[in-house]
Amino acid sequence: MTSKEVGKNKQTLLTKKRRPIVIGGPCSAETEKQVLETGRRIAATGKVDIFRAGIWKPRTRPGSFEGVGEKGLPWCQKVKESTGLPITVEVAKTAHIEACLKHDIDILWIGARTTVNPFVVQELADALRGVDIPVLVKNPINPDLALWLGAVERFQKAGIQELGVIHRGFSNLSEKYYRNRPQWQIPLEFMRRMPDIPMINDPSHICGRRDILQEVAQKALDLGFDGLMIESHIDPDQALSDAQQQITPEVLGQLITDLVLREDYEDEPLKQSKIESLRQEINNIDEELINLLSNRMKVAREIGRYKKKNNMTILQQRRWNEIIERSKLQAARSGLSEAFILNFISAIHDESIDQQEQVYKDV
Ligand code: PEP
Ligand code: MN
């Protein structure tokens, strides 16, 4: 966390000395009793720093529960009064911001379906000009890093000082294991580009189910994330939204307790030098891999010249199918995941096609 505190001149809600920042609370505020009891039990775990509740719910299909609206905000205020926990609520319209400010909400968050739309994000940023409130920006539902960075920049330009981001995964039609594919390389690249913005992982919306929340939360911490946002309901199966992914406050408390906190030790030379020789080995292997790829492309260009001379198409479907089948067999034999090998071989194949296209263009 220390690097994240550089440039900040006050102790703020989104930074703290000890990782992780934990945000917990129901997907949706449903009734006053449910909100107050969740708040009480969440606070009793002693593991949660910020209470969340959805007041206006952006549902994918019409007819689902769309949130209780403004009347839920005083319930959240009561949680703050009785537990001392700061409150965060999702806003998607200027009117939501006004209502939250009126009810003393501490942190606003921008949902994934809002981040995709620069018009709406700009409108929200404009509404916050001159307001001193922290804002969390969820990743857009599509895997577009620029859109995510852009949304954060709009709030920065509007003068918001305290910003954080939430990684909640990306929609994908072929995804089976997760509800939203994590695509970890995207938040990691975000962290590289904007190292001062705290990165919070939302395993609830990534997983869409309870049984794998722990492994995703642990992975996020091992990748250097600063916090977690996890949905919690007093009676998860009866929740009006996202029932399958919610857990009771007590299960949430246990999940946080069971996390292993590891350090990166970037500033400890002794620990670093122990892995240095292995890293050197990795560098050598990477170099060999790139040389091999370069040789492979030479052969691909040679084939390209032959195909061109004989007026053959670049892509020959039967050959491509054969490559896929061979690679799957090899993946199984070498203990590598089929998905990884298929991605890898597709990337190589794309490059071969580009190289052959270049041969076709050459005069
Ligand atoms: C939520 O946090 O309940 C929510 C609606 O999330 P997202 O915007 O990530 O879908
Ligand atoms: Mn939800």
Side-chain angles (χ1 to χ4, degrees), residues 25 41 67 86 118 121 191 193 240 328 338-339:
R41 285 167 52 184
V121 172
M191 287 148 89
R193 303 265 197 107
L240 296 182
K328 281 189 194 163
E338 190 174 297

Side-chain angles (χ1 to χ4, degrees), residues 27 52 57 179 205 231 241-242 245:
C27 177
R52 64 152 279 158
K57 299 305 296 178
R179 174 176 172 192
H205 292 88
E231 289 184 340
S241 59
D242 290 351
Q245 69 198 31

Side-chain angles (χ1 to χ4, degrees), residues 34 37 54 58 76 98 129 131 140 176 180 185 235 239 248 250 283 304 332 339:
Q34 168 247 5
E37 191 178 336
C76 294
E98 284 161 7
R129 243 170 242 285
V131 180
K176 304 245 159 37
N180 290 296
Q185 73 281 12
D235 189 358
T248 62
E250 294 71 28
N283 288 350

Side-chain angles (χ1 to χ4, degrees), residues 117-129:
N117 188 333
F119 287 126
V120 180
V121 172
Q122 190 57 53
E123 214 167 280
L124 299 177
D126 288 338
L128 285 173
R129 243 170 242 285

Side-chain angles (χ1 to χ4, degrees), residues 64-75:
S64 321
F65 173 64
E66 300 205 316
V68 291
E70 196 166 337
K71 75 168 189 233
L73 291 172
W75 309 340

Side-chain angles (χ1 to χ4, degrees), residues 323-333 338 341-342:
I323 293 181
I324 292 181
E325 290 314 316
R326 271 165 55 97
S327 309
K328 281 189 194 163
L329 280 179
Q330 272 186 307
R333 257 186 258 136
E338 190 174 297
I341 289 299
L342 290 181

